[in-house]
Amino acid sequence: MSRTLVPEISVIDLRLLTTMPDWLNAATGLDALTHAIEAFVSRAHNPLTNNHALHAVELITANLVRTQVDPRDFEARLAMAQAALEAGMAFTNAILGATHAMSHQVGGLLDAPHGVVNGVLLPHVIRFNAEAWPERFVALGAAAGLPVSGVPAQEVAEQLADLVRALADDVGVPKGLASLGVAERDVPVLAPTTLKDACMATNPGEVDVRDVETLFRKAL
């Protein structure tokens, strides 16, 4: 860790994004979506991060598949670049949650693609956190284009989890961690280290080792 590793200026050239392979396009898009959703429900959220997170969710759910279908769709590329920027501004101020805490452990153990792991885990974590704070997912559902008027918050959260899974399907992300090399025997190793991850401090729901083990097993 060093401040000298942090750039003062970054330049995004949309032409470079058009050459990403499909798996990387899917992974980075779903990672940005996870940044936005986790930042919005984070215990450290604030009005600034809320606005950025919601706009990022709106842009990603509307444009990620477009970039996968047509890599040279510059309108969609611009939207995704904007979404990644805003999701980054959200999570660097509000931090993240259990999805990233779990994903970091899988990546460290198996060198699996971070964004792909997030895409598998996120729907399960949405359902888990919605048990603690369902109302927080209503605005996220609306940003993703779901009908939320008169719909119970818990139901909106469930529909959002389904939408994230459907988006992951559309961009070719595996349905379970087993496809990425995670086995049942890895769960007791991954769960305790997950609780020590810094991202867990701002997860909206209280989590113990059994909760994490359950989430990993559901995601297998």
Side-chain angles (χ1 to χ4, degrees):
M1 296 290 290
S2 169
R3 291 190 63 82
T4 59
L5 295 175
V6 180
E8 295 183 3
I9 298 173
S10 62
V11 178
I12 300 171
D13 186 340
L14 302 184
R15 294 169 297 178
L16 298 178
L17 303 182
T18 64
T19 63
M20 286 194 295
D22 285 349
W23 74 266
L24 184 59
N25 190 58
T28 53
L30 290 172
D31 190 27
L33 180 62
T34 310
H35 290 159
I37 291 176
E38 292 211 294
F40 188 78
V41 301
S42 162
R43 294 183 184 187
H45 74 88
N46 61 65
L48 177 67
T49 62
N50 290 344
N51 289 335
H52 285 310
L54 290 176
H55 192 216
V57 169
E58 179 183 351
L59 291 173
I60 294 166
T61 53
N63 291 281
L64 178 55
V65 173
R66 286 177 59 186
T67 62
Q68 198 86 343
V69 173
D70 181 5
R72 297 190 66 82
D73 184 336
F74 283 95
E75 182 182 14
R77 287 290 181 198
L78 179 61
M80 286 302 300
Q82 179 76 19
L85 170 64
E86 292 201 55
M89 293 174 71
F91 93 81
T92 51
N93 287 280
I95 317 300
L96 295 159
T99 305
H100 269 81
M102 296 171 69
S103 183
H104 291 157
Q105 314 317 309
V106 175
L109 180 68
L110 299 171
D111 198 27
H114 173 68
V116 174
V117 178
N118 280 345
V120 174
L121 289 170
L122 182 57
H124 300 284
V125 176
I126 288 173
R127 294 185 180 98
F128 175 84
N129 281 331
E131 295 178 7
W133 201 2
E135 296 78 14
R136 195 70 186 153
F137 290 90
V138 175
L140 286 170
L146 294 172
V148 300
S149 180
V151 181
Q154 192 75 43
E155 187 175 334
V156 173
E158 181 67 32
Q159 291 178 8
L160 179 64
D162 291 342
L163 184 151
V164 171
R165 183 58 254 176
L167 183 59
D169 289 338
D170 288 343
V171 295
V173 166
K175 290 189 179 297
L177 295 177
S179 299
L180 301 172
V182 181
E184 168 66 32
R185 66 177 177 276
D186 298 319
V187 172
V189 177
L190 295 168
T193 56
T194 295
L195 294 179
K196 298 177 183 178
D197 192 285
C199 291
M200 197 61 88
T202 47
N203 191 69
E206 293 291 341
V207 187
D208 61 27
V209 69
R210 290 186 180 180
D211 294 326
V212 178
E213 289 177 348
T214 300
L215 284 168
F216 270 124
R217 291 189 174 101
K218 286 181 177 179
L220 285 177

